[in-house]
Amino acid sequence: MFANTIKDILEDYKKEGKTLTQNDLANVLEMTKQSFSNKMQRDTFTAEDIVKIADYLKMKAVLKGDKEYIIK
């Protein structure tokens, strides 16, 4: 689920002529590119991982239903 979101974000950055790589995101999570790649394949991101990536990208992680909650 979140791995697909990351793929979409990377593709959007590329389309906009911006540079963002899996290695950049691996550094945000303080792990190797290979470990990040494993997380992508298994889609094993924690809420903490999601928040760290969102912060790095100057985005917010949000739970949305009838109400909206920002994950901090």
Side-chain angles (χ1 to χ4, degrees):
M1 293 188 295
F2 188 65
N4 289 334
T5 301
I6 290 175
K7 289 176 188 175
D8 290 343
I9 291 169
L10 292 172
E11 187 62 32
D12 286 346
Y13 267 68
K14 187 176 181 179
K15 286 178 185 175
E16 294 171 7
K18 298 177 185 175
T19 303
L20 179 67
T21 65
Q22 285 191 15
N23 195 49
D24 295 329
L25 299 178
N27 289 334
V28 169
L29 300 181
E30 299 176 350
M31 62 178 53
T32 65
K33 185 178 184 287
Q34 183 60 48
S35 294
F36 187 83
S37 179
N38 290 340
K39 270 191 180 283
M40 288 290 289
Q41 288 177 345
R42 297 182 184 114
D43 204 3
T44 55
F45 292 93
T46 65
E48 184 178 357
D49 294 337
I50 294 167
V51 169
K52 284 181 180 180
I53 290 170
D55 285 345
Y56 176 76
L57 298 174
K58 296 180 178 35
M59 296 178 175
K60 294 182 179 179
V62 176
L63 292 174
K64 191 169 184 175
D66 291 338
K67 293 186 178 185
E68 190 172 285
Y69 300 91
I70 297 173
I71 303 169
K72 299 176 184 177

